[in-house]
Amino acid sequence: MKFFVDTADTTEIEALAATGLLDGVTTNPSLIAKSGKNFIQVIAAIAKLVDGPVSAEVIASDTRGMLLEAERLLGLGDNITIKVPLTMDGLRACKTLSDNGVMVNVTLCFSATQALLAAKAGAAFVSPFVGRHDDVGFDGMSLIADIRTIYDNYAFDTEILVASVRHPVHVLQAAKIGADVATMPPAVIRALANHPLTDRGLDGFDADWAKTGQSIL
Ligand code: E4P
């Protein structure tokens, strides 16, 4: 399973990239606004920090505008993935871009039939938002399972990029279903490494080691 970080904070991205565990980055207009930085500059900077795909989202709502914006964004790095919304215009833009060899991430997916359309449009990634789905009383993970079944039934190679991940249990469930990617806020990636018994165990080992008076080096 690939791990993407969902942020436009370059300090966080740099730190996570240094772990060797990071496979890519996703951003959206809200994350760009939160960063307080210039969109073009921050995407160019992120593209240099990681080797994997960096999703940059178009703002236009019509296909032509999306394609013009995509052209500008693709100039920012070889690893730019164009993120388009799951609308008819977005799907048309996805089809045109993917036919031309561009990686497209179709975002704001909330149903399995939407995901089916994204795959038919040649998307490299589809982003179902599990957290926002849960928030309104639906089961985000059953959406992931349905998409997995459909994609496997027809051997679509569109990758399921689980988005709007709020906690490690989302990652666990997505991995059990066989989702291809999870994009997470930096804090969720770090939380995956935490366990109170690991901390307690280390405290015990440190205390006992100190009693030996030894050192390894
Ligand atoms: C993914 O590409 C989105 O940017 C993101 O996961 C949205 O998450 P949110 O629902 O926490 O805003």
Side-chain angles (χ1 to χ4, degrees):
M1 186 184 210
K2 288 179 234 175
F3 283 1
F4 289 1
V5 66
D6 194 33
T7 185
D9 181 331
T10 48
T11 307
E12 291 274 27
I13 294 168
E14 200 168 3
L16 288 164
T19 65
L21 297 171
L22 194 63
D23 301 297
V25 178
T26 51
T27 64
N28 64 37
S30 304
L31 292 170
I32 298 291
K34 192 173 159 199
S35 79
K37 293 188 184 146
N38 172 277
F39 179 37
I40 298 296
Q41 288 170 5
V42 79
I43 293 294
I46 294 170
K48 287 197 184 82
L49 291 174
V50 294
D51 294 329
V54 173
S55 287
E57 188 160 343
V58 297
I59 304 302
S61 55
D62 63 298
T63 304
R64 189 172 167 276
M66 289 178 194
L67 294 174
L68 286 172
E69 290 177 356
E71 208 176 307
R72 173 93 201 270
L73 296 172
L74 288 167
L76 302 177
D78 293 341
N79 50 349
I80 299 296
T81 296
I82 301 299
K83 205 173 181 190
V84 301
L86 213 156
T87 59
M88 276 300 176
D89 279 82
L91 291 167
R92 270 196 294 270
C94 175
K95 179 80 176 98
T96 303
L97 290 165
S98 56
D99 281 352
N100 284 292
V102 173
M103 292 180 83
V104 181
N105 175 358
V106 181
T107 191
L108 289 168
C109 172
F110 291 94
S111 81
T113 46
Q114 286 182 316
L116 178 56
L117 291 176
K120 285 178 71 67
F125 302 102
V126 66
S127 290
F129 278 36
V130 292
R132 293 191 196 187
H133 214 242
D134 292 352
D135 289 346
V136 293
F138 291 90
D139 178 2
M141 279 304 148
S142 73
L143 171 61
I144 303 302
D146 285 349
I147 299 172
R148 180 75 283 156
T149 301
I150 291 169
Y151 282 9
D152 289 349
N153 282 349
Y154 296 98
F156 284 122
D157 53 17
T158 300
E159 295 190 35
I160 303 172
L161 195 172
V162 181
S164 190
V165 165
R166 303 275 165 78
H167 46 69
V169 177
H170 275 151
V171 183
L172 171 68
Q173 293 169 327
K176 285 166 84 171
I177 291 167
D180 304 283
V181 191
T183 190
M184 300 160 258
V188 175
I189 297 185
R190 284 192 290 269
L192 293 172
N194 293 340
H195 198 288
L197 291 181
T198 303
D199 296 340
R200 199 190 301 171
L202 267 179
D203 289 346
F205 290 156
D206 286 348
D208 290 339
W209 179 252
K211 287 179 210 154
T212 72
Q214 300 178 46
S215 88
I216 294 176
L217 298 176

